[in-house]
């Protein structure tokens, strides 16, 4: 039962790290979780306890996937901002993809 509670604590700690954006601390926590899981296999655990652990692990996996999608979206948005002179991708009324390019200006600035 002690290892079960330890694993619950680790999964909750992992959840908090993901929610707080502390993704750099996850690899070390993964090692600790792996050790706790291997030790848990040597103890008596009920089906209900295993189901609870699976649900918590699935929840954390979904949070990690959402974080990865957010990071990917932010990276794409930053790339779009950096490359704004190449145009902006948009969609027509029919749903077809269209690239709107920036037309060079004939306006001349004078000091």
């Amino acid at each position: 039962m002690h290892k079960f509670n330890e694993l619950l604590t680790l999964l909750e700690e992992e959840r908090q790290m993901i929610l707080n954006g502390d993704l750099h601390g996850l690899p070390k926590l993964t090692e600790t979780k792996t050790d706790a899981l291997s030790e848990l296999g040597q103890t008596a655990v009920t089906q209900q306890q295993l189901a609870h652990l699976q649900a918590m692990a699935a929840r954390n996996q979904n949070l990690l996937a959402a974080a990865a999608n957010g990071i990917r979206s932010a990276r794409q948005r930053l790339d779009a901002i950096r490359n704004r002179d190449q145009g902006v991708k948009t969609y027509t009324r029919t749903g077809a993809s269209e690239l709107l390019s920036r037309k060079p200006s004939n306006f001349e600035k004078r000091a």
Side-chain angles (χ1 to χ4, degrees), residues 13-68:
E13 185 178 337
E14 180 181 55
R15 177 180 177 270
Q16 288 303 316
M17 290 174 86
I18 297 166
L19 291 175
N20 292 331
D22 182 17
L23 303 180
H24 294 292
L26 291 177
K28 182 174 168 86
L29 187 64
T30 300
E31 293 174 21
T32 309
K33 266 189 346 186
T34 303
D35 292 343
L37 272 172
S38 65
E39 292 174 17
L40 183 69
Q42 300 168 3
T43 61
V45 184
T46 67
Q47 287 293 86
Q48 185 179 9
Q49 289 173 323
L50 285 176
H52 187 62
L53 288 174
Q54 281 182 316
M56 289 184 75
R59 176 196 62 191
N60 289 355
Q61 184 63 38
N62 289 336
L63 289 172
L64 280 171

